[in-house]
């Protein structure tokens, strides 16, 4: 999966998201900043991102995803 | 077939539930903190060790049923999984985030203290 596709999928759910990716092919680290994370515990933020990629992890298109979520600085 | 499977699944989920509730801090990981078998498990366990707080661990590679059913328990697909005071906190990424911010040690020590208090009441 390409970094562009990853960004696209996240933006479809979280239009304000700032996304940076590193890593390659099937093993990505993504860092997402969005207002949607404000006031939420980390597990909820991660679930929001995990849910987006669940079908791709299940199909094997993505093997591993390392996630970092942040709320924008006020 | 489905009936038998359901019984086994329920039995395993109940076993997990009691481990999570009876241990203030428990990590489900591949391998052990001393001999981890996966980079993610290794980093998460290392973060727990560095707090100096007590924690329990379950080696999911040594228990194929837990390996199979744990992802269903809290609908979290990957290992490791860290539970503090009965609540899933997350996997490796979140454990490291919590460790970095210093929250991890506090959460572990609060949960350990709360559990010790409960034990004391039960013994009295």
């Amino acid at each position: 999966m390409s970094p562009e596709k990853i960004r696209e999928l996240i933006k479809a759910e979280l239009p304000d998201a700032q996304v940076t990716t590193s890593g390659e092919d099937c093993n990505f680290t993504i860092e997402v900043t969005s207002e949607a994370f404000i006031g939420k515990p980390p597990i909820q933020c991660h679930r929001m991102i995990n849910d987006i990629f669940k079908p791709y992890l299940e199909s094997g298109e993505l093997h591993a995803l390392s996630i970092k979520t942040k709320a924008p600085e006020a | 077939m489905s009936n038998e499977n359901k019984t086994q699944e329920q039995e395993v989920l109940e076993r997990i539930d009691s481990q999570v509730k009876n241990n203030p801090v428990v990590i489900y990981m591949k391998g052990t903190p001393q001999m981890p078998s996966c980079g993610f498990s290794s980093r998460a366990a290392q973060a727990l060790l560095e707090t100096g707080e007590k924690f329990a661990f379950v080696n999911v590679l040594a228990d194929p049923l837990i390996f199979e059913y744990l992802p269903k328990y809290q609908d979290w697909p990957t290992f490791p999984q860290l539970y503090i005071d009965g609540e899933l906190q997350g996997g490796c990424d979140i454990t490291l985030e919590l460790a970095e911010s210093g929250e991890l040690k506090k959460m572990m020590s609060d949960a350990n203290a709360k559990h010790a208090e409960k034990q004391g009441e039960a013994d009295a």
Side-chain angles (χ1 to χ4, degrees):
Chain A
M1 186 176 281
S2 69
E4 291 73 34
K5 177 94 186 279
I6 287 181
R7 254 193 295 274
E8 207 176 284
L9 288 168
I10 294 174
K11 290 236 178 210
E13 289 297 316
L14 308 169
D16 78 312
Q18 301 285 325
V19 185
T20 54
T21 59
S22 55
E24 55 189 59
D25 264 1
C26 53
N27 193 340
F28 275 104
T29 297
I30 51 181
E31 202 172 309
V32 187
T33 307
S34 167
E35 289 188 1
F37 301 143
I38 294 174
K40 293 201 173 80
I43 182 143
Q44 259 184 47
C45 306
H46 281 234
R47 276 196 200 279
M48 290 164 72
I49 304 300
N50 268 339
D51 285 348
I52 297 174
F53 293 100
K54 206 172 173 189
Y56 304 94
L57 288 163
E58 277 168 3
S59 75
E61 202 173 329
L62 268 173
H63 288 174
L65 205 52
S66 199
I67 300 169
K68 232 182 160 145
T69 56
K70 279 196 218 156
E73 311 257 337
Chain B
M1 174 196 143
S2 65
N3 229 356
E4 230 169 73
N5 284 348
K6 200 176 172 195
T7 312
Q8 185 187 56
E9 175 173 343
Q10 263 168 355
E11 185 265 319
V12 178
L13 290 178
E14 277 165 24
R15 194 145 58 88
I16 294 170
D17 196 54
S18 90
Q19 288 170 338
V20 163
K21 296 204 165 117
N22 291 323
N23 291 287
V25 182
V26 57
I27 181 170
Y28 290 85
M29 64 182 291
K30 293 183 175 172
T32 68
Q34 282 70 34
M35 272 194 117
S37 313
C38 149
F40 296 105
S41 286
S42 170
R43 287 195 285 281
Q46 190 56 36
L48 296 184
L49 286 170
E50 276 165 15
T51 65
E53 293 290 332
K54 275 207 319 202
F55 65 96
F57 69 88
V58 175
N59 177 0
V60 297
L61 298 179
D63 196 324
L65 288 175
I66 291 196
F67 182 83
E68 184 177 347
Y69 292 115
L70 182 64
K72 295 189 178 171
Y73 175 59
Q74 291 293 325
D75 189 27
W76 188 258
T78 52
F79 306 104
Q81 296 191 13
L82 173 67
Y83 292 82
I84 298 181
D85 197 16
E87 297 273 344
L88 175 64
Q89 302 302 315
C92 174
D93 294 328
I94 293 176
T95 303
L96 297 186
E97 258 175 55
L98 292 172
E100 225 169 90
S101 70
E103 275 173 272
L104 184 64
K105 186 177 167 64
K106 190 181 181 313
M107 291 164 80
M108 288 171 76
S109 109
D110 287 353
N112 281 327
K114 188 172 155 192
H115 191 79
E117 211 171 282
K118 259 201 298 197
Q119 287 289 99
E121 275 166 28
D123 292 342

